[in-house]
Amino acid sequence: MADLPWLTIIGVGEDGVDGLSAATRAALEQAELVMGATRHLALLPGLRCEARAWPVPFAEGVPLLLAERGRRVVLLASGDPFWFGAGTSITRHLAREEWIAYPAPSSFALAAARLGWALQDTTCLGLHAAPFSQVRPRLAPGQHLLVTVRDGAAVSALADYLAGEGFGASMLHVLEALGGPRERVRSVRADALAWDDIAHPVCVGIEPAGEGAVLPLASGRPDGWFGSDGQLTKQPVRALTLSALAPRAGELLWDIGAGSGSIGIEWLLAHPANRAIAIEADPVRAERARANAARLGVDRLTVLPGRAPAVLPEGVPDAVFIGGGLSQALLEALWARLAAGARLVANAVTLESEALLALWHGIEGGSLLRIELADAVPLGTRQGWRSRYPVVQWSVTR
């Protein structure tokens, strides 16, 4: 153990000392300083070195830890530090040779073992500091979700959220202090939870049920999912637009003239690692886009107020959608910024915008598509077709 890095990250379970391996015991014996939450320090009585409680909020402790380089330091974390834990919040500041980690079973692993759920088929979310709406896209009958929350009051708030979304019939499995002497597992419907003695740390298993609407997985969600004043890329055109944008995991989208934010939101729903920046000049619409994103569990949508090209984000996007404000100046500005391989998709409904897209298509290539849709509407005692405004879509790879 003499060649240990200066920092050892140890995952601690609710069984405290009893759950430590030989390697973690040796690291603690060599430590000059042990840092961790007060709860974790209490699980390891008899430490023979300096013990220091980690501050709240968590981020304030990072510089304090980094200032201890050169000493033998042990950081205590919950369960598996790299499974919705503190691990990466620390190691992103360190070189790989500076640290070593010894995980314990995570709350998710213990909860799945208690409930008999296949962990690989279960959605796992850490909601200590995240909004409950992150569960919204995953609420569907027959699914299993495991979420960690801040405390007992948060469990009640989660139950209220589910009931408010029409999923009050969901079965909640409340799992407290898993793996330790205080462990307790209780089950109740979300709309019937009235306990006031739920103890931290707590994990909740959710079996969604009820009359709540289920968010489809396919691009082109129904328009009713998005609050709008009419400035909305409608469902069929949105589906074709997302198909042309072709989101890939971890990519960044610029959604220019975002309106309700539906394109950026669906881009984010395509993969949890995706990022999107919506540019919207109208402050009311910009706020509505934020609200739509939060409602659908993708509050990571960044909304940038202003009008492009006067306002464009820093950096380089992987894809750009122009849903409003199309102009020669905007296309020139974007073409100068985009890297090779970036995708650009622009939709036009006016003759002037169509002509501009046709011009750029002739110069830069790509695909030009005319989308013509009609809806069946009453026509006297029968039905007839009412045409929508046609949309011309130009898609190109730089």
Side-chain angles (χ1 to χ4, degrees), residues 25-377:
R25 290 175 186 272
L28 286 168
E29 289 173 0
Q30 295 187 29
E32 300 172 64
L33 169 66
V34 175
M35 298 181 69
T38 302
R39 180 175 66 85
H40 292 143
L41 293 172
L43 292 170
L44 302 178
L47 290 173
R48 293 181 293 180
C49 64
E50 179 187 355
R52 189 182 304 169
W54 194 274
V56 177
F58 181 87
E60 293 184 2
V62 176
L64 301 179
L65 173 68
L66 298 180
E68 299 297 333
R69 271 192 178 98
R71 301 180 72 189
R72 291 283 193 185
V73 180
V74 167
L75 171 63
L76 305 178
S78 295
D80 185 345
F82 295 93
W83 184 224
F84 292 94
T88 54
S89 298
I90 301 299
T91 58
R92 67 166 61 104
H93 302 284
L94 303 173
R96 181 61 190 87
E97 63 273 9
E98 291 187 271
W99 59 273
I100 190 170
Y102 298 106
S106 70
S107 295
F108 298 112
L110 292 170
R114 301 298 185 268
L115 299 175
W117 292 357
L119 196 55
Q120 73 274 8
D121 298 326
T122 300
T123 296
C124 297
L125 297 171
L127 301 183
H128 291 86
F132 295 139
S133 60
Q134 287 199 2
V135 306
R136 190 61 185 86
R138 285 95 169 174
L139 292 178
Q143 298 303 297
H144 288 157
L145 293 82
L146 286 173
V147 302
T148 56
V149 295
R150 185 182 300 276
D151 51 28
V155 177
S156 297
L158 174 62
D160 291 341
Y161 170 79
L162 293 170
E165 291 294 319
F167 290 89
S170 300
M171 185 59 65
L172 301 186
H173 306 282
V174 182
L175 307 105
E176 303 162 72
L178 288 173
R182 298 185 298 116
E183 179 176 313
R184 180 168 58 175
V185 179
R186 295 179 286 176
S187 301
V188 65
R189 275 177 50 131
D191 55 10
L193 190 148
W195 303 325
D196 59 3
D197 61 343
I198 302 173
H200 175 75
V202 60
C203 181
V204 183
I206 306 173
E207 295 184 78
E211 302 301 320
V214 175
L215 185 68
L217 295 178
S219 297
R221 275 82 171 180
D223 295 343
W225 284 99
F226 306 96
S228 170
D229 60 2
Q231 191 71 12
L232 173 72
T233 303
K234 301 301 191 293
Q235 179 181 5
V237 176
R238 193 175 344 111
L240 290 170
T241 300
L242 267 295
S243 178
L245 286 168
R248 303 167 189 165
E251 288 190 325
L252 170 64
L253 170 74
W254 290 356
D255 180 4
I256 298 176
S260 66
S262 62
I263 294 292
I265 290 169
E266 293 222 34
W267 174 277
L268 294 173
L269 287 169
H271 195 276
N274 284 3
R275 297 162 294 141
I277 301 174
I279 299 102
E280 175 53 55
D282 186 307
V284 175
R285 289 174 177 166
E287 185 56 38
R288 185 180 292 118
R290 291 189 188 95
N292 284 335
R295 163 85 162 69
L296 294 177
V298 287
D299 60 316
R300 64 188 188 278
L301 176 71
T302 299
V303 180
L304 185 63
R307 190 179 303 276
V311 173
L312 285 176
E314 298 292 332
V316 180
D318 299 290
V320 176
F321 171 61
I322 305 174
L326 179 65
S327 68
Q328 176 73 15
L330 176 57
L331 289 173
E332 289 176 351
L334 289 172
W335 208 250
R337 288 280 297 274
L338 296 182
R343 287 101 62 201
L344 172 66
V345 176
N347 290 351
V349 294
T350 67
L351 293 176
E352 293 80 3
S353 295
E354 285 187 22
L356 184 58
L357 294 186
L359 173 64
W360 276 76
H361 173 255
I363 297 171
E364 301 295 348
S367 173
L368 202 60
L369 175 69
R370 183 178 172 90
I371 305 167
E372 299 188 71
L373 300 168
D375 300 293
V377 298

